[in-house]
Amino acid sequence: MAWNEPGGGNRDPWGSNQGGPGNQGGPPDLDEIVRKLQERVSGLFGGKGTSSGAGGGGGPSAVDLSLKTIGVILAGVFVVWLFTGIYIIDPAERGVVLRFGAYVKTTAPGPHWHIPWPIERVEVVNVDEISSFSHKAAMLTRDENIVDVELTVQSRIQDASNYLFQDQAPMKTLRDATETVVRKTIGGAKLDFILTEGRSAVAAMIQQGVQSLMDEYKTGLLVTSVNMQPAKPPEQVKDAFDDAIKAREDKERLENKAEAYANEILPQARGEAARAIANAKAYRDQVVASAEGETSRFNAIRTQFEKAPEVTRERLYLETIESVLTGSNMVLIDVPQGNSLMYLPLDQIMRNQTAKVAQPRTSMLDGPDSNQYNAPPTTSQIRDVSRDRSSR
């Protein structure tokens, strides 16, 4: 039965039970509605709600049970909300924590926790990823030549916070800085230096200059390498440059060949010079030693000559004759009271003595007195001949 049907009495949905003729079939009382709402709110925060029914029992009402269920649900939602703040950073990443959009800190790899959204949030940045781009342009050198330069720049994120907040477009800044530094470096070098041995030096200068600008702008980027391709002249003058490079290569080849020849000849010449100097020093020492020995010998002979002049004079004469006759193969002996000289073939006698050991020999000179013809003259015989000649 509806609450406003006839015979239903005063059964309004708000639970009011006001009688009287003035309230029959009229709208509910606003004061009563406000009162009931206040009772329900007080029950939500621990107050006692009104009991319904004629007996007025003390058991919990349906409203109290509903409020407790809602509280449990809200507590569970709060716990789940807290767990959403757990995050893990990989080894190649860094976590940037933002609180209401403002930078708070940078977290290292590992598990972490932050106040969940919408209070804080985390931006994860990969700091090990290598980014690269190529740059190619025709530039003017210091000696007013045009050269085509092509290089590749590789970089990675060094500071995650600077990368996210200090520069709006870090990669664009890196490209612009690379072009600026390349033009400055190429414009300050000569063409021959860029085309030949200066390529690695130019690449190192470009890397250093670009990194300096990145640090100044606080982009958070680190330039890992700059790989410069061989510089080339423009196509219009390529043939002339090829001829010049070929001539330069021929020059270097001839210089290297000459240097190799010099490296081969110079040690040999130095060795020969050292050997000649050593031989000269040895000859000098030998001559000096010989002269000193002759001087000592002469001084000794002079001392003996002063003591016995006749004996020393004869001794010197005999030694001189012996030294002369030692190298001669012919000896002439003047026999006293003879009309002819005796000739001794010493060379044949010496050969006969050598052959006599291997094979016996018969000759007209063999006999008991043959040894006097086979043996060379002794010193006493030579002394007798010399005395006889001096007496004559």
Side-chain angles (χ1 to χ4, degrees):
M1 178 182 296
W3 65 276
N4 58 355
E5 290 180 357
N10 192 11
R11 299 175 60 185
D12 57 8
W14 309 103
S16 62
N17 191 13
Q18 296 178 356
N23 199 23
Q24 295 288 337
D29 191 0
L30 293 179
D31 294 336
E32 184 67 17
I33 293 173
V34 171
R35 185 181 63 79
K36 290 183 176 294
L37 289 176
Q38 290 178 352
E39 292 177 354
R40 292 180 179 180
V41 171
S42 63
L44 178 63
F45 291 98
K48 295 182 179 180
T50 58
S51 60
S52 61
S61 64
V63 175
D64 294 337
L65 295 177
S66 300
L67 292 177
K68 290 181 179 180
T69 304
I70 292 173
V72 172
I73 293 174
L74 291 177
V77 171
F78 180 75
V79 172
V80 173
W81 178 74
L82 292 178
F83 273 101
T84 58
I86 299 176
Y87 64 99
I88 297 177
I89 301 299
D90 293 336
E93 298 174 343
R94 296 293 183 272
V96 180
V97 181
L98 308 178
R99 182 176 299 166
F100 297 112
Y103 171 75
V104 177
K105 62 181 179 179
T106 301
T107 56
H112 302 277
W113 182 85
H114 71 94
I115 302 175
W117 184 89
I119 300 176
E120 290 184 353
R121 62 187 180 92
V122 178
E123 292 284 344
V124 180
V125 180
N126 191 340
V127 296
D128 284 350
E129 182 180 1
I130 300 297
S131 302
S132 63
F133 68 91
S134 299
H135 178 75
K136 182 178 181 181
M139 302 180 184
L140 190 66
T141 61
R142 181 180 178 182
D143 50 357
E144 298 181 356
N145 289 311
I146 298 177
V147 62
D148 292 335
V149 178
E150 182 178 0
L151 52 87
T152 302
V153 180
Q154 294 182 346
S155 63
R156 66 175 181 86
I157 299 174
Q158 184 180 19
D159 193 324
S161 60
N162 289 342
Y163 178 77
L164 292 177
F165 305 113
Q166 295 296 332
D167 195 290
Q168 185 176 4
M171 296 306 299
K172 183 178 182 300
T173 303
L174 178 60
R175 290 177 179 270
D176 296 341
T178 300
E179 183 176 0
T180 301
V181 174
V182 169
R183 290 189 178 277
K184 178 182 177 181
T185 305
I186 298 299
K190 293 185 178 181
L191 180 62
D192 293 340
F193 180 74
I194 298 173
L195 294 179
T196 55
E197 73 276 2
R199 186 177 66 178
S200 59
V202 170
M205 294 170 61
I206 293 174
Q207 181 177 355
Q208 183 178 2
V210 173
Q211 185 61 52
S212 177
L213 290 178
M214 292 298 97
D215 296 339
E216 183 178 355
Y217 295 151
K218 296 181 179 180
T219 59
L221 294 176
L222 175 65
V223 180
T224 57
S225 65
V226 175
N227 300 321
M228 184 176 178
Q229 303 297 327
K232 298 180 296 183
E235 293 294 335
Q236 294 81 357
V237 293
K238 187 175 183 302
D239 295 337
F241 272 89
D242 291 341
D243 293 340
I245 292 175
K246 184 178 180 181
R248 187 182 299 109
E249 291 177 352
D250 293 341
K251 175 186 175 183
E252 293 178 356
R253 179 175 57 82
L254 293 176
E255 289 179 352
N256 294 334
K257 185 177 180 180
E259 186 176 358
Y261 178 74
N263 293 334
E264 180 182 358
I265 294 299
L266 289 178
Q268 183 178 359
R270 292 191 184 100
E272 294 179 356
R275 184 171 61 253
I277 293 174
N279 293 336
K281 290 181 178 179
Y283 177 73
R284 180 196 63 187
D285 296 339
Q286 180 182 1
V287 171
V288 171
S290 178
E292 292 177 352
E294 292 293 335
T295 303
S296 300
R297 180 173 176 273
F298 177 79
N299 292 331
I301 294 174
R302 186 186 62 178
T303 303
Q304 297 298 327
F305 181 78
E306 292 175 354
K307 294 180 179 179
E310 295 296 333
V311 176
T312 305
R313 184 183 296 108
E314 184 178 359
R315 177 184 174 187
L316 290 177
Y317 173 76
L318 294 177
E319 289 179 355
T320 303
I321 293 299
E322 184 178 2
S323 62
V324 171
L325 296 179
T326 300
S328 176
N329 295 329
M330 181 183 297
V331 177
L332 298 177
I333 299 176
D334 188 6
V335 179
Q337 298 179 359
N339 295 326
S340 62
L341 296 177
M342 182 180 293
Y343 165 69
L344 293 178
L346 296 180
D347 53 345
Q348 295 181 4
I349 295 173
M350 297 298 296
R351 285 197 298 268
N352 292 337
Q353 287 182 349
T354 304
K356 186 177 181 181
V357 178
Q359 181 179 356
R361 176 182 175 187
T362 59
S363 175
M364 292 181 2
L365 297 177
D366 292 343
D369 298 332
S370 60
N371 291 332
Q372 62 179 346
Y373 301 104
N374 295 332
T378 62
T379 305
S380 59
Q381 295 175 349
I382 297 174
R383 185 183 295 109
D384 295 338
V385 173
S386 299
R387 288 178 179 176
D388 183 64
R389 181 176 298 175
S390 61
S391 63
R392 290 182 181 179

